Amino acid sequence: VATNNFPSSNGRTIPATIISPNTIIELEKGDPVVFEKYWKKRSEECSIVIRGWELMSYLGDAKNSVCWYMLPEVERGIRRLHHVVGNAVTNDRYIVVGTGATQLFQAAVFALSPSHPSQPINVLAAAPFYSEYQDEVSILRSGLYQWGGDAASYEKNEPYIEVITSPNNPDGIVREPVVKSEAKGKLVHDLAYYWPHYTPITHQADHDLMLFTFSKCTGHAGSRFGWALVKDIEVAKKMTRYVQMSSIGVSKESQTRVAKIIGVVCDGYENFGSMESELFFEYSKRLLRERWEKLWAVIDESKLFSVAKYPKAFCNFTNESSEPFPGFIWLKCEEGIEDCESYLLEKLKIRGRGGKRFGVDSNYARLSLMGTDDDFNEFLKRVSNA
Ligand code: PMP
């Protein structure tokens, strides 16, 4: 493998793999491998040993009358993490855990849908919306709910469920509900990216049903773990029922790892001063900031592509005012390029996800900013030479 010296995101010079100009750079999925370097440095303290006889039961906590498959240390860890970060209220909230926020989103839609509807309830999200919602809602052609499209253009006087993704995937914008209908609506807040590395923490979110994921918080997408903070016990129980029907709970191996890693993150903040290494959110924010700064330098010079600028806000967690540093680049192709996804693939050999999948025009495309240093640097090189 050919290598070349390249400045890394921590300022040191490391050998970078030279990527052939014919190799396709895969930036279509939001795989958060950018955080791997941090966890490599904390390798020992984050390791767990699970013996052959351990964690054999379906049960996690027989005393938990709502989410009976959740391990108590996971519940404590999640409450502690939100307390440390200050991004969401956990008092008087039930916690339901799932195999990723993907499973919990479906559990939430199921739980909020009327049980015996005359017609399926509409599930909406403002465009550009996270592209998977539509498929997740439609795949089983449920009689309970159906995909209703762009929330901003919903005019029916019928009950609905609106998903508010904030900050939004794909465009990183902080959002509020948008449906204007007189009809009764229920809200799901997908706060997958409401963490200090991606966006300033301006307040403690306090909604009825909030979804979070370990995938985007620490980057451990492979653990397939997410959680919901739910105000209403009946909704929480119905979500648990959905998870039970779908997978009878969540892997205890994953839960054990989640509890361990959340513990390491929180210990760092609560014993501040005693740690040698940089703390997780500071490290990961610095890393994303560095990538965004490099990106701006290239985009500002580009005649083909643009990216909207974000306003600054004060972050209560980091005690500084800063722009958001989203995990995705929401790229707009300038006039003359109608299909941004095809242009990127055919001309630059960069695979992104086109605007159509997010409910908007094909002159937009989403690219992951969370991939490896090599892929990101090669992406910048190709865009600046375009
Ligand atoms: N919601 C949003 C907004 C996401 O971006 C993602 C992951 N791309 C998910 C939910 C799903 O996350 P998980 O890996 O926990 O299933």
Side-chain angles (χ1 to χ4, degrees):
V1 179
T3 60
N4 188 16
N5 285 341
F6 221 104
S8 79
S9 52
N10 62 12
R12 273 178 303 175
T13 302
I14 53 158
T17 309
I18 292 179
I19 300 174
S20 143
N22 291 325
T23 304
I24 294 177
I25 306 294
E26 300 287 349
L27 301 178
E28 200 260 340
K29 293 198 168 58
D31 210 8
V33 294
V34 62
F35 305 123
E36 206 177 84
K37 279 173 286 177
Y38 183 82
W39 298 113
K40 264 194 185 147
K41 293 205 280 186
R42 314 291 301 266
S43 184
E44 278 309 304
E45 57 194 300
C46 293
S47 297
I48 48 170
V49 175
I50 299 171
R51 292 175 182 81
W53 55 269
E54 287 175 324
L55 306 173
M56 291 180 65
S57 172
Y58 283 119
L59 279 175
D61 181 3
K63 290 199 279 300
N64 188 326
S65 62
V66 176
C67 194
W68 52 268
Y69 52 79
M70 173 169 60
L71 294 173
E73 59 266 38
V74 166
E75 169 156 22
R76 284 195 299 274
I78 290 170
R79 291 188 192 277
R80 185 179 174 209
L81 181 64
H82 286 298
H83 180 75
V84 164
V85 175
N87 61 342
V89 170
T90 58
N91 284 349
D92 301 322
R93 294 296 198 287
Y94 299 94
I95 297 182
V96 180
V97 298
T99 301
T102 299
Q103 187 183 42
L104 289 170
F105 168 71
Q106 293 167 71
V109 168
F110 168 75
L112 296 178
S113 296
S115 304
H116 304 286
S118 51
Q119 61 183 77
I121 189 168
N122 286 305
V123 182
L124 317 163
F129 42 73
Y130 171 47
S131 48
E132 306 303 301
Y133 294 144
Q134 175 167 4
D135 294 350
E136 288 167 20
V137 166
S138 311
I139 186 165
L140 292 181
R141 300 186 198 161
S142 168
L144 300 178
Y145 49 80
Q146 65 189 9
W147 179 245
D150 185 2
S153 52
Y154 187 71
E155 283 174 346
K156 292 185 191 155
N157 197 11
E158 292 166 12
Y160 63 89
I161 297 170
E162 180 180 354
V163 198
I164 300 105
T165 315
S166 186
N168 191 35
N169 175 357
D171 62 7
I173 287 175
V174 173
R175 289 186 146 186
E176 308 238 315
V178 301
V179 175
K180 296 272 179 340
S181 169
E182 303 272 287
K184 271 208 174 138
K186 295 194 173 152
L187 306 179
V188 176
H189 279 82
D190 183 341
L191 305 185
Y193 300 95
Y194 193 43
W195 295 103
H197 35 346
Y198 302 111
T199 194
I201 302 301
T202 55
H203 67 288
Q204 275 193 306
D206 187 14
H207 310 289
D208 288 354
L209 201 169
M210 301 183 273
L211 302 180
F212 291 93
T213 165
F214 197 46
S215 308
K216 307 300 163 159
C217 173
T218 61
H220 293 84
S223 293
R224 307 305 309 120
F225 185 87
W227 64 96
L229 303 179
V230 186
K231 219 181 243 174
D232 182 334
I233 189 167
E234 295 310 322
V235 173
K237 282 186 171 168
K238 231 176 140 182
M239 288 181 67
T240 303
R241 168 109 182 117
Y242 180 94
V243 176
Q244 183 173 339
M245 291 302 100
S246 153
S247 55
I248 325 188
V250 175
S251 155
K252 301 290 181 305
E253 283 85 348
S254 276
Q255 293 196 47
T256 308
R257 187 171 188 215
V258 166
K260 179 75 187 181
I261 288 172
I262 288 182
V264 169
V265 171
C266 293
D267 284 352
Y269 287 99
E270 293 188 331
N271 312 321
F272 190 78
S274 62
M275 302 289 304
E276 277 172 32
S277 27
E278 200 175 6
L279 299 173
F280 176 68
F281 292 114
E282 277 70 10
Y283 176 96
S284 41
K285 182 173 179 177
R286 182 170 59 76
L287 214 110
L288 294 179
R289 183 201 298 265
E290 284 168 8
R291 286 198 175 180
W292 273 97
E293 284 170 354
K294 286 187 193 173
L295 177 76
W296 284 127
V298 169
I299 292 291
D300 285 347
E301 295 295 311
S302 174
K303 294 197 172 53
L304 297 177
F305 306 109
S306 66
V307 178
K309 295 261 159 114
Y310 296 100
K312 280 190 174 185
F314 188 79
C315 177
N316 298 330
F317 178 75
T318 55
N319 266 321
E320 61 173 7
S321 182
S322 84
E323 297 91 9
F325 302 113
F328 294 101
I329 305 159
W330 186 229
L331 198 72
K332 186 178 179 206
C333 279
E334 292 306 324
E335 261 168 62
I337 305 174
E338 253 136 58
D339 188 331
C340 196
E341 177 185 326
S342 305
Y343 185 89
L344 288 167
L345 189 60
E346 282 155 26
K347 300 277 189 229
L348 305 184
K349 301 246 182 293
I350 296 167
R351 199 187 315 275
R353 194 177 290 179
K356 284 254 153 67
R357 292 277 310 278
F358 303 90
V360 298
D361 287 344
S362 54
N363 61 334
Y364 280 92
R366 188 196 77 173
L367 301 165
S368 172
L369 187 108
M370 297 182 281
T372 62
D373 277 342
D374 285 341
D375 283 351
F376 182 69
N377 289 324
E378 179 65 20
F379 155 73
L380 288 183
K381 198 162 96 189
R382 292 187 191 180
V383 170
S384 44
N385 293 338

